[in-house]
Structure formats: structure tokens, C-alpha cells
Amino acid sequence: MSPRTLVLQEAACGLCRRPDSDPDAYGQKCRRGKLCVHENCLYHASGLRQRGQDEEGFYGFLYPDIRQALKRAAQKACCVCGCRGASVVCQGKKCSRSFHFPCGAERGCISQFFGEFKSFCWKHRPAQRVRRRRRRAETVCVVCLEAMPGRASYSALVCPACKRAWFHRSCIQGLALRAALYHFRCPRCRDVGAFQPEMFRMGIKIPDRDAAWEEEGAFSDQYHRHSRCDASRCLHEGGREQAAEAGNAPGALAASTGTGAGKSCGPRSFPATGPLRSRSPARARG
């Protein structure tokens, strides 16, 4: 076995056996030595309990418990791909189907991200009920604005409040991950009270944090002020450094635009005027 193969095996999730690292689909990849598991696989592994504090193990799942879950999963075959390691069990009545978390998502299974973190196969998954008179042959996703079927299904969801906002599962999941719990609401009617519980029920993961655009440092580059004019040709009388010290003078750096060019050195659609050295239009640096 080549060293490259060994590296791939070590990087693969011990539960789903996949090396993928897409946080939107799998959650964060957790590693400790040779132990490697996806966050979403971890939360939905049957029989695995959080017995530690949040800072212990992986999200409160202790390492010995995770290893035991890996041993149990190794005895079960996935009902989707047929491979061993199926750690997710359908909670439907008298259903014995087991599957890998990503295999289940690809087959139309639903795994919920609240309460007991239950999972359901394609036969027992929860479904939305829409009155026949509100169904349409085709409608438009309010997130991506592309055409989609106007009837509820695994991949097509509708707002329970206004019943007029339709969206692809992948589109509304992407919005939920960005907006998170504090800002996630129906893109059309802005409802939260009925919308969030229904999305939780239908298997949409809504992180318990502030929105991505509100996180600390998300726009720090917009507030950075350059110490000197970095235009390809500085037009300020005193040079590049004095352009930065000029404050609100004509040669002050255009901090509000996030560039390092002075206001008089930035892009213009008219000839530069005032105490400048050239009458030709100022050019932005390439």
C-alpha cells in the first residue's frame, strides 16, 4: 500500500468512510491522532451519547465512546451503498434500516439537528403537507430564482407560514448555514415562529450562533487604512506618505473604498484638477 493511500485512509471519517471535507455537507472534520470523524456523522451515530462537557472530546462526545460507536457501526451494512460502517439508524416504527449519514442524504433520508437528533429513511421521513389548491406544476425558488416543482418533496420545501415561498433543499440549507439561528427566517414573508421549527423538522441544519456576516472580523478588511498611497502613479503634491497624512484633503487615502489609492489618485472619469501634477485623467493601478 502506497504512502498516499495511507494518508487518505487516515483522513477519512471513521463512521462514513469518506475523506470529504465539505463543512456544508458533513460539518467540521474532527481529528485526534488516527481518530477522524465528521461532525454530522458524530451527532447522528446511533447509541452515541454526549457524556462530557462541550470542551471535552469532540463536542462533548468522549473519545472512548466514539471508538465504541465505530466498533458497533463496523458490524452494520449501509442499506444504500452496501458497505460496512452504517452508524445512522432510522427511527421509523419497526424500521431496521441503517445507513451512512452522507449516503442517507443522497438517498433522500432526513436527519434532524435538534432534540434527540433523530434520523429517518426515505420511507419514514417527515413530509410537508400542502393543500391541493396551492400546488403548482412549476414555481420559482425564492433563493436561487430558478424553476422548481410546485409540490412538496424531499428536495422542494415550502414556508409553512405564507405557503407561497418555495425553495430547493440545498438552497435553504445554504441560507440557514449563513444566517444561522439568530437571523434565519422565511426569505419572502420573514416569518420565524413557524418557519424555523418546520425547517428543523425537515432536516435543515440551523447553527446556534450569529450570522456569518456578523462574526467578528468578517469585514475587517473594509476598515483597514493604508499608511501610504499605493496607486501606480501618486498625484499628491507631497508624495505617497503625505497623501496618507492629509486627512480629508484631496489626496487623502480612499479608506472608505478599501483601496490604498489617494482620492486624487483613484479612478476618475474626468480630468484631475487642483494641485495635481498632470491634467490627464488619473488611472487606477493595474
Side-chain angles (χ1 to χ4, degrees):
M1 187 177 293
S2 68
R4 178 179 175 81
T5 303
L6 288 173
V7 171
L8 288 176
Q9 287 184 344
E10 290 178 357
C13 171
L15 291 170
C16 72
R17 312 294 177 89
R18 299 192 187 190
D20 306 64
S21 299
D22 181 4
D24 289 359
Y26 301 89
Q28 297 300 318
K29 182 178 280 188
C30 309
R31 298 182 185 180
R32 182 177 184 268
K34 293 184 178 181
L35 184 61
C36 177
V37 289
H38 289 126
E39 176 189 355
N40 292 353
C41 296
L42 195 63
Y43 273 100
H44 291 95
S46 178
L48 184 59
R49 299 286 182 269
Q50 288 174 296
R51 299 193 302 115
Q53 301 297 318
D54 289 345
E55 64 276 6
E56 296 182 277
F58 296 144
Y59 306 107
F61 294 100
L62 304 181
Y63 302 130
D65 295 344
I66 296 174
R67 294 190 177 92
Q68 288 300 315
L70 291 174
K71 292 180 180 179
R72 289 194 300 270
Q75 307 303 315
K76 297 180 180 180
C78 175
C79 65
V80 179
C81 70
C83 298
R84 295 283 178 177
S87 60
V88 186
V89 177
C90 176
Q91 299 298 306
K93 189 175 182 180
K94 296 182 180 180
C95 184
S96 59
R97 290 190 178 95
S98 298
F99 45 90
H100 301 113
F101 176 83
C103 289
E106 293 166 0
R107 180 61 177 82
C109 303
I110 283 181
S111 292
Q112 298 173 333
F113 290 86
F114 74 100
E116 298 177 9
F117 285 73
K118 294 181 178 181
S119 295
F120 302 91
C121 69
W122 58 90
K123 184 177 180 180
H124 300 106
R125 69 191 181 200
Q128 289 188 300
R129 303 197 180 280
V130 182
R131 293 181 180 179
R132 188 176 297 276
R133 66 184 180 85
R134 290 189 178 275
R135 297 178 186 175
R136 300 178 182 178
E138 191 175 89
T139 185
V140 175
C141 172
V142 298
V143 180
C144 71
L145 303 181
E146 292 186 0
M148 62 178 292
R151 59 182 182 279
S153 65
Y154 173 75
S155 58
L157 304 179
V158 63
C159 173
C162 65
K163 297 182 173 61
R164 301 178 69 180
W166 290 82
F167 19 77
H168 298 108
R169 172 177 290 273
S170 58
C171 291
I172 201 64
Q173 179 60 85
L175 179 61
L177 293 175
R178 294 190 299 274
L181 191 65
Y182 301 155
H183 295 271
F184 185 51
R185 59 197 65 204
C186 173
R188 179 165 184 165
C189 71
R190 315 302 292 169
D191 178 80
V192 176
F195 180 73
Q196 282 196 3
E198 178 68 353
M199 293 300 103
F200 270 126
R201 187 179 75 89
M202 296 305 298
I204 299 301
K205 182 180 181 180
I206 312 173
D208 186 5
R209 57 168 170 75
D210 207 346
W213 57 80
E214 294 289 352
E215 290 183 344
E216 183 178 358
F219 300 99
S220 59
D221 60 324
Q222 300 298 315
Y223 298 99
H224 174 69
R225 186 176 180 84
H226 295 258
S227 60
R228 66 197 302 271
C229 175
D230 59 6
S232 58
R233 181 185 180 188
C234 180
L235 302 179
H236 190 269
E237 286 183 324
R240 298 181 184 277
E241 282 70 24
Q242 288 193 24
E245 299 173 358
N248 294 322
L253 298 188
S256 61
T257 65
T259 69
K263 292 181 180 179
S264 299
C265 307
R268 297 271 180 161
S269 58
F270 50 88
T273 59
L276 303 179
R277 299 177 180 175
S278 173
R279 292 182 180 275
S280 62
R283 298 177 180 270
R285 60 173 180 159

